[in-house]
Amino acid sequence: MDLLTANDRAGEYPDSYYAAAAAPLPRFGPARGAVRCDVCVVGGGFTGLSTALHLAERGYDVRLVEAQRVGFGASGRNGGQVGQGQRVEQDDLEALVGLDHARRLWKIAMQSVELVRDLAARPEVHAQFHDGIIHADHKAGYVAHSRAYVEKMQREYGYEHAQFLDRDALRERVNSPAYFGGMIDTRSGHIDPLELALGLARLAVGAGATLHEGSRVTEIKPGKVATVVTDAAQISADFVVLACNGYLGGLQPDVARRIMPINNFILATEPMSEAEQAALIRDNVAVADSKFVVNYFRFSDDRRLLFGGSESYGMRFPSDIEAKVRRPMAQIFPQLANVKVDHAWGGTLGITMNRMPHFARYGANVLSMSGFSGHGVAMGTLSGQIAAEAIAGQVERFDVMAEVPSPKFPGGATLRQPLLVLGMLWFALRDRL
């Protein structure tokens, strides 16, 4: 048993709202036999599909292999929030890597959101980008930091799209008694993530990339010409791009030491009226709160509340996902205690120790980008563009990301999961105290 099959059926999308609402693409056939290409991309989520698209647009012969369906993993299951900045706030990044490097990371993060905006505007992507994310403070003691952070970003980074919200201003926008203040970022936003992934697939194929589904990679043989081995093919490539994130397994041991898979869960309510939607969240913005185990929520285009919350750290999902997510939803919105839920699903994402993405080269011709830590809609998509640049010889942005420290999880293969569970339980307890 592994993450690709522990909770899902082979070749099928999960029972999510996104999968139920989307028109699926025709299946892409598996890779077979001996194949030669310029670049082989492993993984069919945002990162892999974006890599295939941007390389094909540059004229490379690209083969993408996906063990399940394109958009099957976290890319097609997540909360759809497209957040500005890196996963770590700028003041923490400045302490971690220095001011100049932190400023370059901020610029890259801004480019990631703009890329998603631009892609959403293309006719092949059947998803609308909606403006606005609110970051809500669940403790009164956090509000002063939110105010100071907005002022810092305006003063030092010239970022005018963020505004501080006191308790009353936040309550006007998010009708919940749970929050004490926060900020709104009007240049961030939200989107249907599976439709974005499917749109990237259409764009990649249109640019000339070849996609293969049902092609699980079992081995990568290094060399001047690397060989990607699946159960039915041997793909020889000048470059290999690993875009597996939480589903990497043991395919690249060094990456696996730095990326930890965890599970997160979402539910979708029945559709609501415009008045009911506005009574919960005004102006159709998305919301994420300050808890370590984050609650995040937004409305779909057909006015369902999509509420994400709770985590688990083993391989299997809980038997009753709906009940697991209803608890935090009812804490945030007590008025929804009895709302009907139409879908509840889980997914696996990859986190890093410091919550910054892990970019690395292995040898001269294997690139890996992963560990987006819940911030992958924008950064995962941009990382594909960055990988294409690096393969073409433009390495500046890749190096800016790769130079961020990426520590290994303590405990090795045996103890890292139990240690992660202990740490997460502590932070979850701290949220409640």
Side-chain angles (χ1 to χ4, degrees):
M1 181 186 295
D2 59 30
L3 286 172
L4 285 166
T5 56
N7 304 289
D8 298 286
R9 293 180 293 273
E12 296 184 24
Y13 290 105
D15 182 23
S16 70
Y17 160 73
Y18 302 130
L25 297 177
R27 290 181 184 271
F28 299 102
R32 297 191 184 280
V35 179
R36 184 68 168 89
C37 61
D38 296 332
V39 185
C40 181
V41 180
V42 183
F46 294 139
T47 301
L49 292 166
S50 178
T51 301
L53 165 63
H54 289 101
L55 282 169
E57 287 181 335
R58 289 174 175 265
Y60 286 83
D61 178 12
V62 185
R63 298 268 180 162
L64 179 149
V65 287
E66 162 60 45
Q68 295 268 27
R69 302 292 309 274
V70 294
F72 162 87
S75 296
R77 309 185 190 208
N78 66 80
Q81 300 202 8
V82 189
Q84 196 65 263
Q86 300 285 347
R87 177 66 174 80
V88 179
E89 290 187 346
Q90 286 305 115
D91 43 7
D92 294 324
L93 279 180
E94 290 170 9
L96 178 66
V97 299
L99 179 60
D100 289 344
H101 195 175
R103 286 184 178 275
R104 292 197 293 272
L105 290 168
W106 171 256
K107 181 179 179 180
I108 286 172
M110 291 183 68
Q111 292 165 348
S112 74
V113 175
E114 295 311 306
L115 177 61
V116 174
R117 283 178 174 275
D118 291 345
L119 289 167
R122 298 179 70 166
E124 295 88 348
V125 179
H126 306 161
Q128 183 178 352
F129 188 102
H130 301 281
D131 293 325
I133 294 180
I134 286 176
H135 301 274
D137 294 325
H138 80 288
K139 292 185 178 181
Y142 292 174
V143 176
H145 171 76
S146 291
R147 184 193 295 271
Y149 189 68
V150 168
E151 293 173 351
K152 171 188 175 66
M153 296 307 296
Q154 292 174 345
R155 181 179 65 252
E156 299 178 18
Y157 286 80
Y159 190 67
E160 300 295 334
H161 300 288
Q163 298 178 345
F164 170 72
L165 301 174
D166 62 20
R167 187 170 191 169
D168 290 341
L170 194 145
R171 185 65 182 266
E172 287 179 4
R173 291 167 171 81
V174 183
N175 187 16
S176 169
Y179 300 124
F180 294 86
M183 59 176 284
I184 183 169
D185 186 333
T186 57
R187 197 62 188 170
S188 297
H190 59 98
I191 194 169
D192 183 311
L194 180 57
E195 288 287 13
L196 174 60
L198 297 178
L200 285 171
R202 294 187 193 96
L203 289 166
V205 170
T210 301
L211 309 186
H212 297 289
E213 296 178 319
S215 295
R216 179 172 183 152
V217 175
T218 57
E219 184 183 5
I220 297 174
K221 297 178 180 179
K224 184 176 181 180
V225 176
T227 302
V228 176
V229 181
T230 76
D231 50 1
Q234 302 81 42
I235 304 171
S236 300
D238 297 319
F239 292 90
V240 174
V241 176
L242 296 177
C244 307
N245 206 31
Y247 291 88
L248 176 75
L251 199 56
Q252 213 303 328
D254 184 70
V255 178
R257 295 182 188 103
R258 303 169 197 277
I259 308 299
M260 180 74 75
I262 67 170
N263 307 316
N264 206 268
F265 308 101
I266 306 179
L267 61 74
T269 70
E270 63 184 344
M272 300 185 189
S273 68
E274 290 185 24
E276 288 171 325
Q277 175 180 347
L280 291 176
I281 303 174
R282 207 183 76 191
D283 300 328
N284 194 30
V285 298
V287 184
D289 69 21
S290 58
K291 288 192 171 185
F292 185 82
V293 180
V294 179
N295 293 311
Y296 52 94
F297 41 96
R298 67 184 186 90
F299 274 92
S300 65
D301 290 345
D302 61 352
R303 295 193 297 274
R304 300 171 186 269
L305 181 67
L306 306 177
F307 190 100
S310 298
E311 292 178 348
S312 73
Y313 315 110
M315 189 171 292
R316 296 301 300 268
F317 294 167
S319 58
D320 192 344
I321 293 175
E322 178 184 331
K324 190 173 182 66
V325 185
R326 268 189 179 275
R327 285 191 290 272
M329 183 179 70
Q331 292 169 358
I332 303 304
F333 293 116
Q335 60 270 49
L336 297 183
N338 298 314
V339 70
K340 184 177 182 295
V341 170
D342 285 345
H343 298 275
W345 67 96
T348 301
L349 64 149
I351 65 170
T352 60
M353 279 284 289
N354 60 11
R355 300 304 187 266
M356 286 295 291
H358 174 59
F359 280 54
R361 295 181 185 85
Y362 296 96
N365 60 349
V366 177
L367 305 181
S368 176
M369 302 87 66
S370 55
F372 298 103
S373 303
H375 205 63
V377 181
M379 281 305 303
T381 303
L382 183 72
S383 68
Q385 187 183 69
I386 292 174
E389 290 175 355
I391 288 171
Q394 301 166 291
V395 299
E396 180 182 358
R397 290 200 295 179
F398 191 96
D399 287 347
V400 170
M401 298 301 301
E403 288 166 5
V404 177
S406 185
K408 299 175 184 177
F409 279 90
T414 303
L415 294 178
R416 66 175 192 165
Q417 195 77 21
L419 289 173
L420 173 72
V421 171
L422 287 174
M424 293 295 193
L425 289 174
W426 159 245
F427 282 108
L429 175 63
R430 193 181 70 170
D431 280 344
R432 293 194 293 268
L433 295 177

